Structures are given as C-alpha cells and as structure tokens.
C-alpha cells in the first residue's frame, strides 16, 4: 500500500471533511490557544494557518497513532494537529532547538489588517490572557466544545502538553460567573460564553481594514524608482572605471513615509469619550497649546522613525519601538516645565517625545504598552519629571483629582489643580532611594457621565503610565462564597492594608507594571496572645500577564513579616486563586512557632520535615523546629486536589 493504513486516501478525505465542517470551532480553538503577545492580526493568521495545515500528509502516521491512547476519530486527529501548531509559538522546546526548529511564522497578507469582530473569540482570549496555552486549550475543549475532562486530557497529552491533567483542572476552575474586567467592571463573561456556544456563531469570520493606501502607492513607486536608479548606476559604472562616492543621507523608509506627515495625525473628537463603549486612550482628544505646531510634530515623528543614537530611548518590556506603519493618534503637544512634549498613540502603545522648549535639543523618547487599557489604566500619562515632582496629563473623563500619602491611612486626599487642557499642577513623586517616610499617589474620580461614584488610585513608579492600585478584602463566608474581585484602594480597609506596604513599591521595575493588588487571603490567631494577624499577597501584574508576588504576615502591631516571593507567576491572580503559605514566627513570649494559612478553598494543612503537624482548617499553628531545618507545607482543597506552599520559587498544586 502506497500510504499508511491510518492516513490513506479515505482517511485524508475524512479529515478534509472534518476541517471544512468544523472550521469555525477549530479556528476558535487555535485562536484562544495561541499566545496573545503576537497581536490580533498575526494571531488571526496563525489560527487559520494551524487549521488549514491540520490535513494529514499521505504516508505519515497520525498524531496519536503511536500509542494506545491515540485518537479514534478524524476529528480528534485534526484537533491534535491544531493544538500542536497552536502551542508551538509559545516557545521553542529543547528538542526543537536541537533540530534548529523555530516557531511557525504566520502567513502574510499584504494591504489588509485583520482582527476578530467584537463580542467573540477575542474577548474569550482576553478572559484567559493570564493562563498558559494548555489551560486556554482545555477551556475551549471542555467549556465551549463540551468534551469530557478525560478526553481533553488525552488530546492535550497527544499534542505534547506537559501535565495535561493539571491544565484541565485549572480550566475547570476558571471563574466566569462573577468575572470582572481589569478596571473592576463586570465583563458579562457568562453572556460571552453563551454567545460563543451558539451554533450560529462563526469564529472564522474576521474584520478587515486596508493599510495605508498612499503609503503602499509610494512604496510601489519607490521600488520602480530604485530599480531605474540601479539600472542607471550600473550603466554609469560600466562606462567609467572611477566614480565619486554617492551622497549617503538618512531617509525614512517607505514603510513610515505616510505616517510621518503631521497633517495626517489622527485626532479624536473632543466628546468622543462620553459617547463610546471603548473608554481608553483612543477616546482622548488632542490637547495642548502646540497641537498645530507642525515643526514640533514633524521633529517628534522624525525622531521616532530615525531613532538617532544620541537620543535616549526607554521602553517597557515587550513594547516595540519601531516606526509607525500608519499615522498615529495625537494625544498632546505642548510645553511642560521647560520641555516641549508630544504624546502619540500607535495601536497598543503610547510614545512620548520630549525636547528643550526652545528647540530640538536634549531629545528623548519613551514607549509604554496600552493594550486592554480602560477607565483606570488609561486615566493618566506622565509628561515628565523635574527632580522630585511631576506633571500628568489626565484622561478627559476625570472629573476630580487629588493626591494621597499611601503611608498615612487616616489622611484625606488633598485636591490637585488641573488645567483646562487636562495637565495637573506639579506634584510630588515617590523617592526611589533613601528613607521612605511617604509615598505620594494620585486619587482620581471618574465623570458621572461614564460611571457613578468611581474613585481609584494610581502610583507613579517612574514610567510613562502610572500603576493602578487595588485591594481584595478577606473572604467573609465558607468555601462556597465566590472569590472576590479586586476593589479600588480607596476604602478604609484598603488604605490600612496599603499603608505598611506602600514603600515596597520602590522594589518594582518602573516600566512594565500594569497594576498592583493586595489580596488579604486569610487571617489567623497568633499564639501566646499575639492577637489576630492577616495574611496578604501583593501581586504586581505586568502587561504580558505574569507577575511578581510577595506574601506577608501582618501582625496587629509592628511591621509586616515577609513570608514568600515568586516571580513571573500566576499566583494571587485570576488564574492563581488557590494559595498556601507558611513561615516561622516569634511570639511575644519569645517562643518560635510554625505558622501556615491558605485561601478560602483550602480545607486542611499538613507540615512535614522538621515540623510534623496537621490541621483540619485554613490555618496551622505548631511549635517550630530548629532554625534552618527544612519544613514542607502542603494542603488540601475542597475539590480534593493538593496544593503546595509558595516558597519563593514557585507555587502550585501537587
């Protein structure tokens, strides 16, 4: 037989029929599984590529044909191939590196930008942005396609996912009933899932817009002109043995030619923010006294495109600094503290250009990510610092501004003057070195035209975009109570939680942090009359998804005690809602104890090693072992799964 028995002509025809019939569902699976770091256009192309290349090749075994757990239907074969292609771009495995294999490149579409329509798979992908690829795939297969958990485990295992069972457990535990957006506003996740399960919903449909038409025309003309110039130069060199060196001057390439014209900058209407469902940087109007200064705007665009070596450039991790492919949106152009400042929005990034007010000297560029920004994370941009003070450009929907010292929980916010163009008065910024006796922060109030009685807090960590501060209070009921969403850090309990932790913000990188949340996940009685302590997890979430966490024990008196740290983790976030931590603690009587506490789903805690103790609840207290002796703390969840204490390196289930 010229082909393998499994994927002969008949099997290939069956696989083709499956792809055609199930195409929208397969695209949905691929799109949600793919990492979101590549952008919506590339993600759409990779998703369709993964599905269209899922047709098996003649003469080769299927994805699961080598083992007893292999798939038994053409649909499962195709799903595995789609999963393998979708999980591959998340990173290169060692085996791939050994074979010099690279993640698959997307197909290329000239002249069009593609993205999924609103209310579909893009919203589902955002809901799962902080989860790993296997978890996102398991969510689609189980929660949307309705496959049993054991079938999903088998498919993920055949696709090469590590610990497929754990991925399925995490996907099952993803909260959707009370899910909220990054600004604490409900995002109607249940309605989204119902829409995605609707048989009439077609995930393969995309929206398309042309790229810069004039730029493409100029590019074509430039290619023909360059070809003609090369022909003339070739003839000249052939006729003459010596020639003068050509005049080499830097030119903006044809890619950016259409975007470097100040007259083509996009400007949003003044009242756009009050009449749109998308309240983010795209709703900012162009403000400032120099929005018509074409010379300044041309220098800003030209510096961005050329990026001379003498111009310092700062960028948040993962933020591209390449020139714009289309005219960006103008947010601000004006003078601030002796500097001319221009703020531009290009897709999912904001660019700040600054120079001396009297001319093009002391230029600098700063880039920041803005993807999925909203009412709070698009509320302010830094115009620059002068010593220990700064000015900010506030969003047009900010009705009131004030400053607050985070280290003083009982102090009220002080009013902050704001000019008609949205620029604040100069206000103090936190000191990054030396003694920390205060930590200034912005307390802003949204206009009632978009949301009523909504105040929130932003902290300046030295980057272009301030950081949103939130607070999640202690659970108030048994394990059946749904997990609470982060709240704004404006209430009395939030201010009390932030006061002893505020100065630790200086340990975070200035760029790349989107929000910081303090989660009080447990409280416990301390032995020897030590009072009641609160266990908290402070999570600094980055724009890509993973974040750094610090677990602390806050006794009723004295400073908090550090318990554990972890970097680039999902712990203490939407997809890391189960937490267990343990530490040694010295009581007022001078005795040492081993303490441990878990989040609301923890039903039992066990200590082994130098300390052997067991507790049938969310907290544990036992006499401590010798200092430095190893202690392992594990727990049990209400679901029956196990959890290991966060130890500063990693945390998770057994």
């Amino acid at each position: 037989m010229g082909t393998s028995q499994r994927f002969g002509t008949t099997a290939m025809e069956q696989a083709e029929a499956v792809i055609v019939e199930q195409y929208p569902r397969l695209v949905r699976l691929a799109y949600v599984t793919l990492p979101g770091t590549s952008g919506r256009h590339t993600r759409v192309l990779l998703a369709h590529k993964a599905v269209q290349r899922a047709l098996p090749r003649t003469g080769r075994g299927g994805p699961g044909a080598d083992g007893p757990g292999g798939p038994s239907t053409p649909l499962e074969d195709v799903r595995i191939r789609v999963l393998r292609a979708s999980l591959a771009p998340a990173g290169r495995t060692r085996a791939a590196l050994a074979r010099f294999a690279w993640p698959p490149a997307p197909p290329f579409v000239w002249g069009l930008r593609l993205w999924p329509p609103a209310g579909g798979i893009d919203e589902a992908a955002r809901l799962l942005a902080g989860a790993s690829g296997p978890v996102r795939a398991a969510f689609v297969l189980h929660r949307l396609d309705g496959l049993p958990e054991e079938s999903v485990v088998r498919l993920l295992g055949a696709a090469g996912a590590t610990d497929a069972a754990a991925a399925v457990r995490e996907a099952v535990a993803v909260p959707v009933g009370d899910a909220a957006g990054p600004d604490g506003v409900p995002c109607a996740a249940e309605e989204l899932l119902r829409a995605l399960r609707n048989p009439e919903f077609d995930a393969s449909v995309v929206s398309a817009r042309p790229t810069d038409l004039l730029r493409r025309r100029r590019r074509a003309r430039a290619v023909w002109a360059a070809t003609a110039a090369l022909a003339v130069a070739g003839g000249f060199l052939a006729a003459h043995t010596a020639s003068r060196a050509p005049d080499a001057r830097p030119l903006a390439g044809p890619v950016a030619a259409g975007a470097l014209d100040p007259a083509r900058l996009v400007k949003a209407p003044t009242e756009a923010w009050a009449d749109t469902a998308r309240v983010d940087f795209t709703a900012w109007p162009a403000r400032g006294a120099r929005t018509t200064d074409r010379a300044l705007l041309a220098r800003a665009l030209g510096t961005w495109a050329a990026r001379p070596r003498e111009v310092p450039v700062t960028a948040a991790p993962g933020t591209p600094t390449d020139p714009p492919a289309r005219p960006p949106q103008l947010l601000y152009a004006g003078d601030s503290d002796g500097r001319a400042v221009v703020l531009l929005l290009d897709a999912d990034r904001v660019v700040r250009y600054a120079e001396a007010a009297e001319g093009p000297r002391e230029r600098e560029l700063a880039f920041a990510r803005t993807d999925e920004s909203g009412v709070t994370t698009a509320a302010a941009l830094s115009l620059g610092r002068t010593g220990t003070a700064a000015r900010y450009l506030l969003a047009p929907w900010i009705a009131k501004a004030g400053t607050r010292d985070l280290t003083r929980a009982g102090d009220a916010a002080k009013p902050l003057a704001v000019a008609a163009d949205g620029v604040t008065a100069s206000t103090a910024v936190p000191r990054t070195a030396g003694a920390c006796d205060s930590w200034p922060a912005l307390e802003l109030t949204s206009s009632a035209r978009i949301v009523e009685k909504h105040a929130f807090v932003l902290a300046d960590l030295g980057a272009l975009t301030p950081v949103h501060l939130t607070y999640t209070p202690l659970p108030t009921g048994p394990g059946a109570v749904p997990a609470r969403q982060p709240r704004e850090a404006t209430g009395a309990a939030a201010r009390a939680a932030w006061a002893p932790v505020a100065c630790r913000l200086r340990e975070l990188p200035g760029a790349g942090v989107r929000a910081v949340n303090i989660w009080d996940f447990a409280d416990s009685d301390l032995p020897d009359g030590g009072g009641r302590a609160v266990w908290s997890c402070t999570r600094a979430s980055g724009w890509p998804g993973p974040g750094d966490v610090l677990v602390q024990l806050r006794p009723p008196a004295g400073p908090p005690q550090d318990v554990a740290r972890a970097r680039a983790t999902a712990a203490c976030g939407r997809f890391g809602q189960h937490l267990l931590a343990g530490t040694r603690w010295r009581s007022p009587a001078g005795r040492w104890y081993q303490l441990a506490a878990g989040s609301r789903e923890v039903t039992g805690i066990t200590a082994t090693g130098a300390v052997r103790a067991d507790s049938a609840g969310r907290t544990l207290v036992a006499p401590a072992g010798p200092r430095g002796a190893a202690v392992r703390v594990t727990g049990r969840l209400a679901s029956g799964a196990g959890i290991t204490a966060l130890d500063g390196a990693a945390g998770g289930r057994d």
Side-chain angles (χ1 to χ4, degrees):
M1 182 177 292
T3 61
S4 67
Q5 182 178 359
R6 182 172 181 81
F7 284 114
T9 303
T10 302
M12 291 183 64
E13 292 175 349
Q14 292 176 347
E16 181 184 20
V18 165
I19 292 174
V20 173
E21 180 181 355
Q22 301 291 330
Y23 194 81
R25 288 192 173 190
L26 295 172
V27 169
R28 178 178 65 189
L29 173 62
Y31 186 89
V32 177
T33 304
L34 285 162
T37 54
S38 55
R40 294 188 298 175
H41 175 79
T42 302
R43 201 172 184 178
V44 165
L45 296 177
L46 283 173
H48 285 266
K49 175 182 178 180
V51 177
Q52 293 178 19
R53 294 195 175 184
L55 189 68
R57 296 185 181 181
T58 302
R60 296 191 179 186
D66 296 333
S72 58
T73 66
L75 177 56
E76 289 180 330
D77 283 322
V78 170
R79 277 176 168 153
I80 290 175
R81 292 181 178 273
V82 171
L83 287 171
R84 284 182 175 174
S86 304
L87 292 171
R92 286 168 283 174
T93 62
R94 292 184 178 180
L97 286 173
R99 297 191 304 268
F100 299 96
W102 295 80
F108 297 98
V109 175
W110 298 105
L112 289 175
R113 298 293 296 178
L114 308 177
W115 69 93
I121 56 176
D122 197 43
E123 279 70 14
R126 292 183 182 182
L127 177 68
L128 301 167
S132 64
V135 173
R136 296 194 299 268
F139 185 91
V140 175
L141 292 171
H142 178 62
R143 304 287 285 272
L144 299 181
D145 290 342
L147 270 64
E149 294 182 27
E150 57 273 13
S151 298
V152 178
V153 171
R154 184 159 55 88
L155 289 173
L156 290 176
T162 58
D163 203 354
V168 173
R169 288 198 300 269
E170 289 189 40
V172 172
V174 170
V176 294
D178 59 345
D183 299 307
V185 180
C187 63
E190 286 286 6
E191 288 78 1
L192 171 63
L193 295 184
R194 282 196 292 269
L196 292 176
R197 295 190 190 105
N198 190 331
E200 297 181 358
F201 175 77
D202 190 346
S204 62
V205 173
V206 297
S207 297
R209 288 287 188 277
T211 55
D212 193 333
L213 299 176
L214 291 178
R215 171 175 57 81
R216 287 158 53 192
R217 177 173 294 180
R218 292 191 186 103
R219 178 185 296 175
R221 291 176 177 174
V223 170
W224 284 110
T227 303
L230 287 175
V232 172
F236 179 81
L237 290 175
H240 301 274
T241 57
S243 64
R244 189 176 60 180
D247 180 20
R249 62 186 68 181
L251 296 175
V255 173
L260 300 182
D261 183 359
R264 301 186 62 193
L265 289 173
V266 177
K267 297 180 181 179
T270 304
E271 292 292 311
W273 62 272
D275 191 26
T276 179
R278 182 178 178 180
V279 184
D280 57 14
F281 286 109
T282 61
W284 280 36
R287 290 173 289 173
R290 302 182 67 174
T291 55
T292 58
D293 188 339
R294 296 196 57 172
L296 172 62
L297 300 178
R299 288 197 299 272
L301 293 167
T303 303
W304 180 5
R307 283 172 296 170
R309 293 183 179 180
E310 68 273 13
V311 176
V313 177
T314 58
T319 307
T321 61
D322 54 304
R326 62 190 58 81
Q329 179 179 339
L330 178 62
L331 304 181
Y332 177 83
D335 293 333
S336 175
D337 295 321
R339 304 278 288 167
V341 179
V342 177
L343 294 173
L344 300 166
L345 174 67
D346 179 50
D348 291 335
R349 57 180 174 168
V350 164
V351 185
R352 182 183 65 198
Y353 169 81
E355 66 177 24
E358 63 273 12
R361 295 185 296 105
E362 302 174 1
R363 295 176 294 170
E364 60 182 10
L365 286 169
F367 296 80
R369 289 182 62 167
T370 62
D371 45 305
E372 299 183 32
S373 58
V375 174
T376 57
T377 48
L381 290 173
S382 173
L383 292 178
R385 289 190 174 196
T386 54
T388 59
R391 294 183 191 270
Y392 305 92
L393 179 65
L394 302 183
W397 56 83
I398 299 302
K400 185 173 66 173
T403 60
R404 176 185 295 282
D405 184 356
L406 292 179
T407 65
R408 300 179 182 274
D411 290 1
K414 300 177 181 179
L416 178 63
V418 182
D421 60 357
V423 177
T424 69
S426 181
T427 181
V429 294
R431 291 195 297 267
T432 58
C436 181
D437 53 6
S438 67
W439 195 276
L442 295 174
E443 183 167 306
L444 308 178
T445 302
S446 302
S447 169
R449 297 173 67 181
I450 59 171
V451 57
E452 294 184 356
K453 299 179 181 180
H454 178 231
F456 53 95
V457 177
L458 302 179
D460 188 340
L461 301 187
L464 176 54
T465 53
V467 174
H468 183 207
L469 304 184
T470 55
Y471 169 70
T472 305
L474 284 165
T476 57
V481 175
R484 294 192 173 191
Q485 297 295 332
R487 301 178 178 181
E488 302 301 348
T490 53
R495 295 198 301 269
W498 267 105
V501 184
C503 289
R504 304 297 293 270
L505 288 172
R506 64 168 54 176
E507 301 174 10
L508 300 175
V513 179
R514 175 177 185 170
V516 182
N517 179 61
I518 293 180
W519 172 31
D520 289 344
F521 65 91
D523 56 350
S524 61
D525 289 321
L526 299 176
D528 296 342
R532 194 158 186 83
V534 175
W535 296 72
S536 68
C537 180
T538 303
R539 174 181 172 84
S541 298
W543 290 93
D548 299 342
V549 301
L550 169 65
V551 178
Q552 293 180 305
L553 176 68
R554 293 202 313 267
Q561 176 178 322
D562 290 0
V563 174
R565 286 177 176 270
R567 296 189 178 277
T569 177
C572 304
R574 179 182 294 180
F575 300 98
Q577 296 185 357
H578 303 314
L579 181 64
L580 178 65
T583 187
R584 284 169 55 92
W585 179 80
R586 188 176 184 179
S587 75
R591 287 185 285 267
W592 286 93
Y593 290 89
Q594 178 69 42
L595 307 180
S599 54
R600 66 185 183 90
E601 287 292 322
V602 174
T603 59
I605 302 175
T606 301
T608 57
V611 176
R612 294 189 174 274
D614 190 83
S615 171
R618 294 175 53 211
T619 61
L620 178 144
V621 178
R627 178 179 292 274
V631 178
R632 176 177 170 82
V633 178
T634 58
R636 298 176 298 279
L637 300 177
S639 64
I643 185 172
T644 302
L646 193 72
D647 60 3
R653 299 172 181 169
D654 287 335

